Amino acid sequence: MDHSPSVIPQADPGAGYRAQKDEIDAAVARALGSGWYILGRENEAFEGEFAAWLGTARAVGCANGTDALALILRGMGIGQGATVATVSHTAVATVAAIEMVGATPLLLDIDPDTYTMDPDELAAVLEDPPPGLPPIRAAIAVHLYGQSCDLHPMLDACARAGVSLIEDCAQAHGAKLHGRKLGTMGAAAAFSLYPTKNLGALGDGGVLATNDVELADRIAAIRQYGWRERYISSLVGVNSRLDEVQAAILRARLPRLDAGNARRREIAAAYDAALAGGPYAPPVRQEGTEHVFHQYVLRVPDRDAVQARLKAEGVGTGVHYPVPVHLQGAYVDRVPLGPAGCKETERAAREVMSLPMYPELAGEQVERICAALRGLGRR
Ligand SMILES: *Cc1c(COP(=O)(O)O)cnc(C)c1O
């Protein structure tokens, strides 16, 4: 992150805190004064408020988004001896969660327009699984950058194969597809509450949601040593709890989430207009999706030069993500890919560039960024 004062940072979690300082400070004081610091009243209230906001029967707070995915897999009994299909163009956390539970990830290529899983490839591997892999038991659909995957064909393919579809909503809090919120259509959904996410704690946090009440109860036990009763493990568990200070902060922020997403869309519309007629096309919207612009991502083949030019004009940029998971040292030559390989994933990693995007961007900052974007058309 660039901290020189003249450069508008690509992300700015401190601005989110300052915008709500009094409410957040009061929430922190309330949690600290309660004398109860982990899995207490604040967590319980946050789970209820989050489930009500999302529209699911249950929500379960946990330590982070990676754990939310792993807890869902554990709750479904998916681990060693199972394959889980997902993408390589994602935060490494998606793939790390699959391996944390002992399952084998199978990484599929993306649609080049929306950067999300190619649904035809998912259908193909479910119908005709690659040889030598354990049976595919689940698919994790990553709603990357704040918009939906092409979810319906993926849900259909999973239903035909008798496989669970899990939604990775870490970048898609509040996004919709044909009027329905993401995170309500699969078997379960994982949300990260990392500080820069659309709903962020001021530390680590995660929450998972499902309409399957039994699954939610099982996961709530697994997140704390498998306890249904204090000190007695009836299930094999882990420790992945949400602390009360973070839960209180999240309760202060949740009522602002929809307005924050609306502001992100307004900023995106300003960027769209500034890019019109220039060399770089605005992001393609998945049909029927209501985007929440966790990131506003352009495809820029001459990325280094464009990043340097924008930086010289005071505009910070980011790359989400520069190296696909299957080419990172920990995974290279080890993690299986779909039969079509990952050509579009590799091209995206070379070309994607994210502009500054957070609700606290001031009008004057958005105007400066737009002026710099209009300048890219004049060389
Ligand atoms: C942030 C993120 C995660 C992981 O969340 P953590 O809270 O950092 O563990 C998982 N998947 C995606 C797509 C993410 O962006």
Side-chain angles (χ1 to χ4, degrees):
M1 202 182 293
D2 200 312
H3 285 287
S4 61
S6 60
V7 175
I8 300 169
Q10 198 270 324
D12 191 1
Y17 167 60
R18 289 189 297 276
Q20 242 191 307
K21 185 175 184 312
D22 291 348
E23 286 159 86
I24 290 174
D25 288 355
V28 170
R30 184 179 73 228
L32 293 179
S34 76
W36 189 281
Y37 300 110
I38 286 179
L39 291 188
R41 286 206 183 116
E42 300 288 347
N43 174 69
E44 206 170 299
F46 171 66
E47 289 178 343
E49 287 157 14
F50 188 83
W53 167 83
L54 183 63
T56 53
R58 293 284 299 277
V60 179
C62 63
N64 55 67
T66 312
D67 279 1
L69 286 166
L71 283 166
I72 291 169
L73 293 169
R74 287 184 203 282
M76 292 175 167
I78 293 172
Q80 213 170 354
T83 295
V84 178
T86 191
V87 286
S88 185
H89 187 65
T90 180
V92 72
T94 314
V95 181
I98 295 169
E99 291 204 329
M100 269 168 67
V101 304
T104 301
L106 171 63
L107 303 182
L108 307 181
D109 210 1
I110 53 170
D111 172 86
D113 287 335
T114 61
Y115 308 103
T116 57
M117 188 188 284
D118 177 346
D120 295 335
E121 232 207 303
L122 177 63
V125 297
L126 289 174
E127 259 163 49
D128 186 13
L133 291 181
I136 301 174
R137 297 272 320 275
I140 300 180
V142 183
H143 300 304
L144 201 71
Y145 303 148
Q147 75 172 333
S148 183
C149 296
D150 190 1
L151 193 61
H152 290 297
M154 294 166 68
L155 284 165
D156 291 346
C158 285
R160 276 197 305 276
V163 153
S164 301
L165 186 140
I166 298 164
E167 296 180 77
D168 181 340
C169 291
Q171 304 192 1
H173 317 63
K176 293 179 183 169
L177 181 63
H178 302 300
R180 290 183 65 186
K181 275 205 181 114
L182 302 185
T184 63
M185 291 175 272
F191 295 79
S192 168
L193 305 168
Y194 185 77
T196 58
K197 302 288 161 99
N198 292 41
L199 176 64
L202 298 174
D204 267 318
V207 63
L208 58 97
T210 179
N211 285 316
D212 181 339
V213 174
E214 268 176 47
L215 176 66
D217 284 343
R218 205 154 53 239
I219 291 171
I222 292 170
R223 86 175 147 184
Q224 179 162 243
Y225 320 127
W227 287 356
R228 291 191 199 272
E229 188 187 336
R230 206 167 179 76
Y231 307 125
I232 314 288
S233 296
S234 55
L235 297 167
V236 175
V238 298
N239 176 1
S240 180
R241 300 176 295 215
L242 185 62
D243 75 71
E244 290 284 282
V245 170
Q246 299 307 332
I249 291 169
L250 290 160
R251 291 182 68 200
R253 303 191 97 172
L254 180 60
R256 300 269 196 105
L257 173 56
D258 292 335
N261 285 341
R263 173 67 183 146
R264 287 172 185 264
R265 277 194 288 275
E266 198 174 86
I267 295 165
Y271 293 167
D272 287 349
L275 291 163
Y280 306 109
V284 174
R285 271 63 154 186
Q286 174 74 51
E287 201 210 310
T289 203
E290 187 170 306
H291 206 314
V292 293
F293 291 99
H294 174 61
Q295 301 294 358
Y296 185 99
V297 174
L298 300 177
R299 201 181 264 282
V300 181
D302 49 343
R303 184 168 67 196
D304 289 351
V306 172
Q307 284 194 288
R309 180 158 169 190
L310 288 174
K311 188 173 176 192
E313 294 183 40
V315 178
T317 55
V319 175
H320 302 93
Y321 297 90
V323 182
V325 174
H326 70 279
L327 296 181
Q328 297 180 21
Y331 300 94
V332 70
D333 295 333
R334 184 172 74 73
V335 171
L337 305 183
C342 274
K343 263 209 248 18
E344 289 299 343
T345 295
E346 291 172 20
R347 186 163 72 93
R350 288 193 298 271
E351 297 183 347
V352 291
M353 183 189 81
S354 311
L355 294 177
M357 180 54 82
Y358 35 97
E360 298 77 21
L361 273 173
E364 161 275 319
Q365 291 177 304
V366 174
E367 199 25 67
R368 259 172 66 201
I369 296 162
C370 287
L373 294 176
R374 284 190 292 269
L376 295 177
R378 297 184 293 270
R379 333 175 145 239

